[in-house]
Amino acid sequence: MRALRRTTATLAATATAAVAVLTGCSAGGDSPGQRIRGITLPAWDTGDYGRPEAPAYLRQIAGTGARWVVFTPTWYQDGTGRAAMRPTEETADDAGVRRIVGLAHAAGLKVMLKPHVDLVNGEDRAGIRPADKDAWFTAYERFITHYARLAAELDVEQFAVGTELAGTSGERRRWRAVIAAVRETYDGTLTYAANYDEYAAIRFWTSLDLIGIDAYWPLAKSATADPARLAKGWRPVVTELAAFAARQDRKILFTEAGYVSQHGAAAEPYSWTVSERADNDEQAAAYEALLTAFDDEPWWAGVCWWMWDDWPDSGETERRLAYTPHGKPAEQVLRRWWRD
């Protein structure tokens, strides 16, 4: 997700091995081959993952039938052309990451660690185009291997080597070097979370275990809670992704997908501010449409929804308008699909 976060205020596995990993990476207690059922719990502050609400949030996530949870410690850089990123007061500290992963495992949830790089001024991370590519990739490798070591220490089941970095993801050689460095430390399942308009241009998928896509495709040209219209919006995407998965000999995981509970959300799934008019029905219909469209596709590895509740007093979007499905009809959609 090209996160609103508080920045608006601060404004080489083989194909066979990959399939083997995927068929075994469903959550604890699930039968082999079951798809990933995940929800993201992001952090926006140093202490978020250490907050007292964390155990309740994880129980709530597990209560939907989810078997995975995604955590997103984030570093920041000062401009799109700069060559370094750093932790700030909005970066979840390592102690919190250790705690939240332990709590997730205790709750029976598997974990994907998905470190993000964002810009201090709140611009889209896809715009990062460093003037000194060698220096940026050196810094990025230092950043991502820090979390790879943490993931290995904590027995994290899956790891994302990057998220929506379209301004750099064309650098195949450099990204393959990053992936190799991660594999020296971490031996779990690897993916990269490409934005929906980025994934087809990436040339390093065969170095990873599965294709990750942040699936924010618009499903309609205007607001609608009509399941038939939303299903029609998915049809060309399903065809496109099936062919892509076959060419790459990899399954596809939706590393993110989500909809605000606002009128027009299905037309602009990537926007936090589509409308000031709440629309729980459109959000729920969009959840239903995605699960219906992909559930029978053998190449589809599952979905990690963006996102569960914000931490108290931290969200910039009113809860009634936000991405969270918690306490809304969309949560009941998940429960119908996910609870056995």
Side-chain angles (χ1 to χ4, degrees):
M1 163 57 56
R2 295 169 177 175
L4 181 69
R5 42 181 273 304
R6 256 138 317 197
T7 55
T8 58
T10 61
L11 258 200
T14 63
T16 301
V19 172
V21 168
L22 278 169
T23 56
C25 72
S26 55
D30 289 348
S31 59
Q34 189 169 7
R35 291 188 176 93
I36 291 172
R37 302 169 173 178
I39 297 177
T40 302
L41 182 59
W44 312 117
D45 186 82
T46 299
D48 275 350
Y49 287 150
R51 293 180 68 153
E53 296 85 3
Y57 279 15
L58 293 169
R59 287 194 299 270
Q60 292 162 4
I61 288 170
T64 66
R67 295 294 178 263
W68 287 76
V69 62
V70 182
F71 302 126
T72 62
T74 304
W75 287 19
Y76 296 87
Q77 65 179 71
D78 292 321
T80 57
R82 304 298 283 272
M85 62 288 304
R86 56 188 169 80
T88 72
E89 70 279 358
E90 295 185 352
T91 302
D93 61 27
D94 288 356
V97 173
R98 289 186 175 93
R99 174 180 183 259
I100 200 79
V101 171
L103 290 171
H105 284 157
L109 294 164
K110 289 192 175 183
V111 173
M112 177 163 68
L113 196 61
K114 185 168 167 282
H116 288 185
V117 171
D118 276 326
L119 289 154
V120 168
N121 65 5
E123 292 180 28
D124 185 354
R125 69 176 74 96
I128 294 173
R129 286 171 172 77
D132 186 336
K133 293 178 182 178
D134 287 338
W136 188 88
F137 274 95
T138 296
Y140 189 85
E141 183 175 314
R142 185 162 51 245
F143 153 75
I144 202 67
T145 55
H146 169 80
Y147 287 108
R149 286 190 295 272
L150 200 55
E153 171 194 329
L154 300 173
D155 294 323
V156 164
E157 289 82 0
Q158 189 161 288
F159 188 80
V161 300
T163 296
E164 296 178 359
L165 292 166
T168 71
S169 61
E171 300 288 334
R172 178 172 58 178
R173 177 183 59 80
R174 290 183 170 96
W175 273 102
R176 284 181 168 172
V178 168
I179 294 163
V182 169
R183 287 202 185 276
E184 288 180 4
T185 298
Y186 175 78
D187 62 3
T189 304
L190 292 185
T191 189
Y192 170 89
N195 202 44
Y196 77 101
D197 58 359
E198 172 195 8
Y199 81 92
I202 288 174
R203 297 292 181 265
F204 52 83
W205 290 124
T206 56
S207 297
L208 297 165
D209 299 308
L210 71 164
I211 296 162
I213 300 178
D214 290 357
Y216 296 107
W217 279 274
L219 302 181
K221 293 183 179 179
S222 59
T224 181
D226 180 352
R229 281 186 64 190
L230 296 175
K232 184 178 179 180
W234 275 123
R235 284 174 197 156
V237 178
V238 172
T239 300
E240 172 188 322
L241 293 184
F244 191 79
R247 289 196 302 272
Q248 298 293 328
D249 201 12
R250 295 289 186 276
K251 289 190 176 184
I252 294 174
L253 171 67
F254 286 172
T255 36
E256 290 182 25
Y259 306 90
V260 289
S261 48
Q262 298 173 26
H263 196 64
E268 298 182 51
Y270 41 77
S271 175
W272 296 67
T273 55
V274 178
S275 171
E276 294 182 359
R277 174 181 165 187
D279 196 333
N280 288 339
D281 290 341
E282 185 166 355
Q283 182 191 44
Y287 268 63
E288 187 81 42
L290 186 151
L291 293 168
T292 300
F294 291 95
D295 188 60
D296 291 332
E297 300 300 329
W299 47 264
W300 190 58
V303 58
C304 298
W305 292 98
W306 184 275
M307 51 170 261
W308 201 245
D309 279 348
D310 255 320
W311 303 96
D313 304 318
S314 72
E316 293 179 348
T317 304
E318 290 182 64
R319 190 177 178 281
R320 69 185 184 91
L321 300 173
Y323 275 93
T324 178
H326 185 206
K328 302 173 184 176
E331 181 177 357
Q332 297 309 311
V333 172
L334 291 182
R335 286 173 174 267
R336 286 199 309 272
W337 278 89
W338 283 0
R339 289 177 66 90
D340 295 329

